[in-house]
Amino acid sequence: MRASFGDCVFDSDTRQLLRDGRPVALSPKAFTLLELLISRRPRAVPKDDLRAALWPGVHVAQANLTNLVVEIREALGDEARRPRFVRTVSRYGYAFVARTSAASPPSDDAAALGRMYRLVWGRREIDLEPGENLIGRHRGAAVWIDDESVSRRHARISIADGGAWIEDLGSKNGTFVGGAPVEGAVRLSDRDVVRIGPATLRLRVLRSTGSTRSTVREHVRR
């Protein structure tokens, strides 16, 4: 599902929420809740149904659901007293009230834009795919950095809506672009230098030749 509302675009396939064209961080539970509310719009969804979908077979405090709604509103720039997107239905549940339109597929597809995004790491080159590209010590990361100074889910680079953005995912040692710490979503430009632990990565934005490309997963060991 890909839906546009206000200045936001929600894409369940790429697991992204964009606001003003920039990726907005949402926890997995908050993302799932937003997806549920959008998919059932404009109906109000009972709190019990939402809790059962988010925490199946587990009893959780009511505040858990409330906190997720607060997180969603902050991400969307919404207000509880004057809701544009998520309305509280007293003693019942929540409803997504904004009008949505079908959003066109991401315009950052390499074939459509004639651009491809690549990280250069020493002699290695790692292609970045549309959507989220995880960087960290997790073995499934697009950029695997096997070093104790790097968190398992350290950072991510999102390729979306004609650009590339990097976010630190709460890592213990931080993510840096051009020597400055990354706070929030930072847009990357061609030849920007990203430093994560022992790895120095340079982003290249290249013209696509239309040839088949493959993603190379590289790692360093310490």
Side-chain angles (χ1 to χ4, degrees):
M1 174 177 61
R2 186 172 167 87
S4 176
F5 50 91
D7 56 0
C8 301
V9 174
F10 177 89
D11 194 326
S12 60
D13 292 332
T14 62
R15 301 285 297 177
Q16 283 189 311
L17 173 65
L18 305 177
R19 184 178 172 193
D20 288 329
R22 295 172 175 264
V24 180
L26 272 182
S27 67
K29 291 288 187 186
F31 190 94
T32 300
L33 174 57
L34 181 57
E35 182 178 13
L36 286 169
L37 294 175
I38 292 176
S39 67
R40 300 188 190 183
R41 66 190 185 281
R43 290 175 293 171
V45 186
K47 293 180 181 180
D48 287 345
D49 289 1
L50 294 173
R51 281 193 289 264
L54 293 167
W55 297 280
V58 179
H59 177 75
V60 297
Q62 293 185 7
N64 288 30
L65 181 59
T66 302
N67 291 338
L68 292 182
V69 173
V70 171
E71 181 182 348
I72 289 172
R73 283 176 171 148
E74 289 181 352
L76 300 178
D78 202 8
E79 297 181 11
R81 293 184 178 180
R82 298 179 180 178
R84 295 185 299 143
F85 305 119
V86 179
R87 177 172 64 92
T88 299
V89 182
S90 180
R91 298 183 181 181
Y92 184 82
Y94 299 95
F96 190 85
V97 295
R99 290 187 177 183
T100 65
S101 59
S104 58
S107 59
D108 46 27
D109 181 81
L113 284 182
R115 290 201 297 266
M116 56 191 299
Y117 298 83
R118 178 176 294 168
L119 286 176
V120 178
W121 181 6
R123 295 183 178 180
R124 291 152 291 197
E125 297 183 354
I126 306 165
D127 289 333
L128 302 175
E129 301 294 337
E132 296 183 358
N133 297 266
L134 178 64
I135 304 174
R137 200 157 39 86
H138 190 285
R139 290 296 296 267
V143 183
W144 179 32
I145 307 175
D146 190 14
D147 188 277
E148 288 298 322
S149 66
V150 176
S151 301
R152 285 173 56 79
R153 295 178 57 85
H154 196 104
R156 66 180 167 211
I157 293 180
S158 299
I159 307 300
D161 285 358
W165 282 264
I166 188 167
E167 296 173 84
D168 185 84
L169 299 179
S171 68
K172 59 183 179 181
N173 290 320
T175 302
F176 301 84
V177 174
V182 170
E183 297 180 359
V186 175
R187 183 158 189 167
L188 295 173
S189 300
D190 185 35
R191 300 182 184 276
D192 274 350
V193 174
V194 177
R195 182 168 60 83
I196 295 177
T200 299
L201 313 162
R202 184 182 297 272
L203 180 74
R204 294 306 318 274
V205 182
L206 308 169
R207 293 184 61 85
S208 174
T209 61
S211 60
T212 303
R213 60 187 178 127
S214 60
T215 300
V216 180
R217 291 183 179 173
E218 300 286 354
H219 67 279
V220 294
R221 295 185 182 274
R222 288 290 177 93

